[in-house]
């Protein structure tokens, strides 16, 4: 079965540095999600794309985080500057759904970010 | 607004015991979907099951079964004869429609299941 690809798998960076994560969703999936998961907690939505448009970025700290999905396929999430509190797992997911709500999310392996 | 509550933070059972993971949800939507996901130690969340709000039939898949009760807004997950490989964090999720017409998914905080051999 096709998978959601994410890279890198692990990232260690110093605070105040810039860091970027990449995600390639399952082909044909219109919706792409970036979640942050702090250890011991559930995934928290950062940003959601439908095709190339952002449909929800209400929880994205826009002063330091940015996300793009220029051609409606793969996506990049950037943090600049990174802070110690950004240490977490960053999960990318995709789903078929546009106007339907029954599409399960397919997740990548995630990027484990450690900010020192 | 959508909300999913998984009150059990962590559960430990001995292998072969049955275990039920609780999920309670809140939504104003009349049409919605409920999901369970498994997150093993490797980290990737894996989709297990989906139910829609109009189908309250319980479902069984091997050792897994799900009990959806709309009257109590609950969607509980039972593992029969648990095995060590069932050790993972399990997330309940609710999917409905946002005002902009897109799919909105809300996750619970997860229940960590440890199956002791």
């Amino acid at each position: 079965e096709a998978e959601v690809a994410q890279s890198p798998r692990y990232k260690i960076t110093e605070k105040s540095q810039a860091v970027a994560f990449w995600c390639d969703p399952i082909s044909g999936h219109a919706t792409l999600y970036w979640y942050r998961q702090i250890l011991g907690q559930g995934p928290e939505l950062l940003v959601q794309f439908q095709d190339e448009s952002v449909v929800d970025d209400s929880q994205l700290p826009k002063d330091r985080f940015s996300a793009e999905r220029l051609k409606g396929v793969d996506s990049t999430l950037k943090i600049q500057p990174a802070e110690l509190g950004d240490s977490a797992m960053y999960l990318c997911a995709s789903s078929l759904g546009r106007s339907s709500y029954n599409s399960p999310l397919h997740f990548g392996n995630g990027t484990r970010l450690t900010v020192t | 607004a959508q909300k999913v509550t998984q009150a059990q933070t962590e559960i430990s059972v001995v292998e072969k015991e049955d275990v039920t993971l609780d999920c309670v949800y809140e939504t104003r939507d009349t049409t919605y979907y409920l999901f369970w996901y498994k997150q093993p130690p490797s980290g990737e969340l894996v989709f297990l099951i989906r139910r829609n709000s109009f189908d309250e039939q319980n479902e069984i898949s091997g050792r897994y079964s799900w009990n959806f009760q709309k009257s109590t807004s609950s969607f509980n997950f039972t593992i029969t004869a648990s095995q060590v490989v069932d050790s993972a964090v399990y997330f309940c999720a609710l999917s409905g429609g946002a005002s902009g017409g897109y799919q909105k998914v809300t996750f619970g905080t997860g229940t960590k299941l440890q199956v002791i051999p």
Side-chain angles (χ1 to χ4, degrees):
Chain A
E1 182 180 315
E3 298 177 344
V4 174
Q6 280 190 255
S7 66
R9 186 79 173 93
Y10 301 94
K11 181 71 178 179
I12 300 174
T13 191
E14 294 181 347
K15 64 179 181 179
S16 79
Q17 295 299 303
V19 63
F21 314 128
W22 176 81
C23 173
D24 191 12
I26 294 173
S27 178
H29 279 197
T31 307
L32 185 147
Y33 311 77
W34 282 103
Y35 284 90
R36 177 170 59 188
Q37 186 179 22
I38 295 169
L39 193 62
Q41 298 184 19
E44 173 199 18
L45 181 68
L46 291 174
V47 61
Q48 179 175 343
F49 291 90
Q50 189 162 292
D51 299 309
E52 67 276 6
S53 301
V54 172
V55 295
D56 188 346
D57 63 357
S58 57
Q59 301 302 312
L60 187 72
K62 298 180 187 64
D63 56 336
R64 298 185 301 107
F65 286 65
S66 64
E68 61 183 16
R69 193 185 184 198
L70 292 176
K71 297 182 179 178
V73 181
D74 59 338
S75 175
T76 302
L77 177 70
K78 297 179 181 177
I79 308 175
Q80 183 173 17
E83 296 181 352
L84 294 176
D86 296 332
S87 295
M89 176 78 88
Y90 289 82
L91 297 166
C92 179
S94 68
S95 70
L96 273 172
R98 283 191 174 86
S99 57
S100 63
Y101 314 135
N102 64 352
S103 303
L105 272 61
H106 297 264
F107 285 84
N109 288 326
T111 296
R112 170 75 66 188
L113 173 67
T114 302
V115 182
T116 62
Chain B
Q2 298 181 159
K3 185 178 180 181
V4 177
T5 301
Q6 295 180 256
Q8 304 152 308
T9 304
E10 202 163 335
I11 301 175
S12 290
V13 298
V14 176
E15 199 171 21
K16 298 184 183 177
E17 286 185 347
D18 299 347
V19 58
T20 295
L21 310 182
D22 298 333
C23 173
V24 174
Y25 63 92
E26 296 176 28
T27 180
R28 295 177 184 168
D29 292 341
T30 54
T31 301
Y32 53 89
Y33 294 83
L34 295 160
F35 300 80
W36 276 95
Y37 291 84
K38 175 181 180 180
Q39 187 175 38
S42 59
E44 179 182 351
L45 276 92
V46 177
F47 164 66
L48 294 177
I49 191 172
R50 168 187 58 205
R51 304 296 285 170
N52 74 54
S53 52
F54 297 105
D55 184 359
E56 291 192 65
Q57 281 191 343
N58 292 332
E59 182 162 341
I60 298 174
S61 176
R63 297 184 297 107
Y64 296 171
S65 62
W66 291 269
N67 184 332
F68 175 33
Q69 292 195 340
K70 206 167 180 178
S71 60
T72 57
S73 297
S74 65
F75 185 44
N76 297 336
F77 173 27
T78 297
I79 302 174
T80 303
S82 60
Q83 299 176 2
V84 172
V85 293
D86 297 327
S87 297
V89 182
Y90 291 86
F91 291 96
C92 181
L94 169 65
S95 175
S99 58
Y102 59 89
Q103 180 179 18
K104 183 171 180 65
V105 181
T106 301
F107 282 84
T109 51
T111 297
K112 183 177 182 179
L113 174 65
Q114 184 178 15
V115 181
I116 303 166

